[in-house]
């Protein structure tokens, strides 16, 4: 899973902290044709990193894009507490890493190095 270290969402985090985060995450499998989430579903407080396979993103019954391995989806809905704005369907057998709001809070409570990194970034951006 070396690719995880290159994801933009982790670009500001030390590799050791990323490793700790990955250890906290759940992995889910889907088969081709299976729906991960339907448009307008209530937010389930999860966002996903595709490890293998690909998905179609569908809005109002129209495919708008596809996402492939090492792409991320639903992070905005998790952060903004929004309902789902699109349907996501596995277009192949699929492996996902799942990040939940609870796992983020648990990681922050258990891993002080992540808290320090966040504070460092806040201070760095405040001084600019």
């Amino acid at each position: 899973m070396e690719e995880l270290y290159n994801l933009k969402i982790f670009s500001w985090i030390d590799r050791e902290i990323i490793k700790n985060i990955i250890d906290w995450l759940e992995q889910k499998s889907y088969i081709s044709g299976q729906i991960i989430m339907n448009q307008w579903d209530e937010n389930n407080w999860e966002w996903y990193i595709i490890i293998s396979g690909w998905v179609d993103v569908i809005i109002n019954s129209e495919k708008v894009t596809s996402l492939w391995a090492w792409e991320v989806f639903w992070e905005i809905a998790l952060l903004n507490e929004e309902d789902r704005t699109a349907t996501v369907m596995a277009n192949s057998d699929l492996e996902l890493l799942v990040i939940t709001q609870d796992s983020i809070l648990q990681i922050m409570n258990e891993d002080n190095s992540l808290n320090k990194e966040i504070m460092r970034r806040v201070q760095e951006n405040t001084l600019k």
Side-chain angles (χ1 to χ4, degrees):
M1 286 199 221
E2 184 66 28
E3 293 87 350
L4 280 173
Y5 296 102
N6 298 321
L7 290 177
K8 186 175 181 177
I9 60 167
F10 294 138
S11 65
W12 58 278
I13 303 174
D14 181 83
R15 287 178 71 87
E16 190 59 34
I17 297 172
I18 296 169
K19 182 189 175 312
N20 293 342
I21 291 171
I22 293 167
D23 289 344
W24 283 92
L25 302 181
E26 177 184 352
Q27 193 166 330
K28 286 188 177 179
S29 300
Y30 294 87
I31 59 171
S32 183
Q34 192 172 1
I35 301 292
I36 292 104
M37 188 63 56
N38 281 302
Q39 185 176 5
W40 310 121
D41 278 355
E42 188 174 312
N43 192 332
N44 67 351
W45 307 107
E46 295 180 346
W47 59 285
Y48 307 92
I49 299 171
I50 302 171
I51 299 172
S52 66
W54 58 290
V55 300
D56 286 334
V57 179
I58 303 160
I59 298 176
N60 299 326
S61 302
E62 249 184 77
K63 176 183 163 186
V64 294
T65 194
S66 295
L67 302 173
W68 304 86
W70 309 114
E71 292 192 84
V72 177
F73 62 97
W74 295 129
E75 70 281 10
I76 302 302
L78 177 67
L79 297 173
N80 293 339
E81 301 180 11
E82 298 174 349
D83 290 341
R84 303 309 186 173
T85 57
T87 296
V88 177
M89 181 181 71
N91 208 334
S92 68
D93 289 345
L94 188 65
E95 293 293 324
L96 302 173
L97 276 180
V98 181
I99 301 173
T100 66
Q101 191 175 53
D102 287 342
S103 65
I104 291 170
L105 294 173
Q106 199 168 17
I107 291 163
M108 292 182 72
N109 285 331
E110 298 288 328
D111 188 345
N112 195 37
S113 58
L114 180 59
N115 290 332
K116 287 179 182 175
E117 183 66 18
I118 291 169
M119 291 308 297
R120 184 190 69 74
R121 291 283 297 204
V122 167
Q123 288 174 343
E124 185 179 277
N125 288 331
T126 303
L127 296 175
K128 288 183 179 181

